[in-house]
Amino acid sequence: MPSLFEKYRPKEWKEVVGHARMKQRLKKMTREDDVSGKAFMFYGSSGIGKSVCAELLAANVCDPDNIQVYDATKVTAAVLDNLDNRSGQLLLGTKAGRAVIINECHKLDSRCIGRLLTMLDPVPRNVVYIFTTQAHKQKGLFDDDDSSALESRCTVFHLEAQKYAKLFAKRAMDIAREEELDDGQELVEYVQLALDCECNLRKMISMIDAGEFLPEELVEVLENRATAIPEV
């Protein structure tokens, strides 16, 4: 059974919380068939939608079987060579494109960044590269010339969190009530949860799933039921 967060993971752009300008721009690019042949980078703190946005963007270009997702720590020169060699291949499916998602790209080593610079100049017409990172202007990816050059080859979106605290809170409240995991708390209490979690929606939903807003007496009843020893 999937986690509560995965159960409510957005399946389309209208389900993504906040980031209105970014969504408007990406929808326009999708309508105009202007996504393939480009590279994108999503910046933002944990749990605010970077990976979801990357997946939805990739789905506009290609079928699920042609989306390749990597953690940056697993990306090597050999992996990149293989991706480059396959970039011109025709693919089966209803959509002709290929998408490569590299998460936590601030963990890429300098040799891989250097290799990517040649692969993205230009990006093959049927391919889209999508990077996600939390590390904007922190020590690591963006401290050398090559990594700045990598950023300059991408359309960059900065996903802000705090300005959307109320929207994140409303989404969390709706999920809690749908799952019967709250006790009638007001929106202001969910806003406080959003602020406490730095608008990390994954963390917010995890806390709700753990009973953050259930009344204490109900939690005790559930615990007693779970630990009760059946009579023989």
Side-chain angles (χ1 to χ4, degrees):
M1 181 178 293
S3 68
L4 194 60
F5 177 78
E6 290 298 327
K7 179 179 178 180
Y8 288 94
R9 192 177 186 86
K11 304 296 190 300
E12 49 189 321
W13 286 112
K14 68 180 181 180
E15 297 174 356
V16 175
V17 178
H19 319 307
R21 285 186 295 181
M22 177 205 70
K23 289 189 290 187
Q24 183 179 6
R25 178 64 183 130
L26 289 176
K27 287 177 183 178
K28 184 174 186 296
M29 294 177 76
T30 300
R31 287 196 305 269
E32 297 175 352
D33 193 24
D34 193 27
V35 174
S36 293
K38 294 181 180 292
F40 296 84
M41 188 174 288
F42 293 100
Y43 283 116
S45 55
S46 178
I48 66 168
K50 301 184 303 297
S51 296
V52 165
C53 289
E55 292 163 5
L56 291 175
L57 183 60
N60 286 316
V61 174
C62 60
D63 293 333
D65 289 344
N66 296 324
I67 300 174
Q68 296 169 274
V69 183
Y70 297 91
D71 183 280
T73 59
K74 306 298 183 183
V75 175
T76 63
V79 168
L80 295 177
D81 286 342
N82 183 53
L83 289 172
D84 198 22
N85 291 336
R86 298 170 58 193
S87 62
Q89 293 179 351
L90 295 176
L91 302 172
L92 298 176
T94 59
K95 302 173 185 176
R98 181 195 303 277
V100 177
I101 300 174
I102 299 180
N103 290 316
E104 307 299 335
C105 66
H106 54 279
K107 297 177 182 178
L108 288 166
D109 68 38
S110 59
R111 291 170 299 177
C112 289
I113 293 173
R115 182 72 178 91
L116 280 165
L117 295 183
T118 61
M119 294 170 63
L120 301 181
D121 193 17
V123 179
R125 183 67 187 91
N126 66 321
V127 180
V128 60
Y129 280 87
I130 307 171
F131 303 92
T132 72
T133 180
Q134 301 180 46
H136 185 41
K137 295 183 179 178
Q138 295 179 5
K139 186 175 181 181
L141 175 61
F142 304 104
D143 286 345
D144 56 63
D145 292 338
D146 279 353
S147 54
S148 296
L150 175 61
E151 183 179 6
S152 72
R153 283 164 168 76
C154 300
T155 300
V156 179
F157 293 102
H158 299 265
L159 277 63
E160 301 176 73
Q162 296 297 325
K163 67 184 292 185
Y164 294 115
K166 191 171 182 178
L167 291 179
F168 278 71
K170 179 65 166 59
R171 178 60 173 157
M173 184 176 72
D174 289 345
I175 290 172
R177 291 182 176 175
E178 177 69 22
E179 297 292 326
E180 299 181 350
L181 288 171
D182 88 337
D183 189 35
Q185 283 82 3
E186 299 294 331
L187 180 60
V188 64
E189 296 179 71
Y190 285 92
V191 171
Q192 187 59 55
L193 176 66
L195 296 174
D196 291 343
C197 294
E198 298 180 332
C199 292
N200 182 330
L201 189 57
R202 182 187 295 108
K203 183 176 180 180
M204 292 168 66
I205 294 175
S206 177
M207 292 178 67
I208 289 168
D209 197 19
E212 179 72 12
F213 288 127
L214 290 175
E216 284 293 332
E217 57 271 21
L218 177 57
V219 173
E220 291 177 2
V221 169
L222 293 174
E223 288 178 347
N224 290 336
R225 287 179 181 174
T227 58
I229 299 175
E231 297 182 1
V232 178

